[in-house]
């Protein structure tokens, strides 16, 4: 499904924001301003705390490349706590043939960058 209008996109964004707010997943943000959360933070929080239907909406709203980039940069490196989610995402959304190894390599690369800094 492709979203055809800016108004529909804004409605989907608002719906996802409200759901995250209701689940108390945005405790570190000023939730009185929906636009205070970046696209990247919205994608990250939806992938970490909401369900598959909501994640599917991210792809319609932001496109495959942006969702994958945010997943690689902000979600996949989070380690053991979210590893099972990330293995599912690697396989289901991003077509990894060996999702466990793929997620482990992302985590390792992230830790190596932190160590080098």
């Amino acid at each position: 499904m492709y979203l055809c209008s800016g108004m529909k996109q804004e409605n989907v964004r608002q719906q996802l924001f409200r759901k995250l707010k209701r689940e108390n997943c945005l405790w570190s943000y000023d939730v009185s301003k929906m636009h205070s959360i970046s696209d990247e933070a919205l994608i990250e929080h939806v992938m970490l705390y909401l369900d598959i239907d909501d994640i599917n909406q991210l792809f319609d709203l932001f496109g495959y490349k942006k969702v994958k980039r945010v997943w690689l940069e902000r979600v996949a490196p989070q380690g053991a706590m979210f590893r099972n989610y990330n293995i599912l995402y690697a396989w289901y959304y991003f077509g990894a043939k060996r999702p466990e190894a793929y997620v482990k390599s992302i985590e390792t690369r992230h830790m190596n960058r932190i160590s080098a800094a």
Side-chain angles (χ1 to χ4, degrees):
M1 173 174 81
Y2 291 96
L3 300 174
C4 42
S5 73
M7 184 61 132
K8 179 143 177 144
Q9 289 176 337
E10 191 61 26
N11 289 340
V12 170
R13 185 180 170 81
Q14 288 174 1
Q15 173 191 3
L16 293 171
F17 179 84
R18 280 193 304 270
K19 195 167 185 181
L20 286 166
K21 184 178 172 184
R22 190 172 51 246
E23 298 292 324
N24 201 28
C25 299
L26 300 171
W27 56 269
S28 64
Y29 293 90
D30 179 0
V31 293
S32 67
K33 301 176 190 157
M34 185 196 74
H35 294 292
S36 67
I37 186 171
S38 67
D39 291 348
E40 290 78 9
L42 181 66
I43 293 167
E44 176 185 7
H45 281 75
V46 168
M47 291 189 91
L48 292 176
Y49 303 114
L50 298 184
D51 61 29
I52 293 290
D53 290 334
D54 300 314
I55 295 168
N56 290 340
Q57 289 184 356
L58 291 176
F59 288 92
D60 291 335
L61 187 59
F62 297 110
Y64 177 86
K65 284 184 179 181
K66 186 169 189 171
V67 173
K68 185 173 184 181
R69 180 181 52 80
V70 172
W71 176 71
L72 286 168
E73 292 172 1
R74 296 176 72 151
V75 179
Q78 294 207 20
M81 185 169 168
F82 294 102
R83 186 169 294 129
N84 288 337
Y85 288 140
N86 285 315
I87 291 168
L88 171 69
Y89 299 155
W91 169 75
Y92 186 75
Y93 288 113
F94 306 117
K97 294 187 188 324
R98 296 178 44 227
E100 295 91 354
Y102 184 53
V103 169
K104 184 66 177 165
S105 72
I106 294 167
E107 292 171 355
T108 302
R109 236 185 342 241
H110 179 74
M111 292 306 296
N112 289 341
R113 272 193 295 252
I114 290 172
S115 298

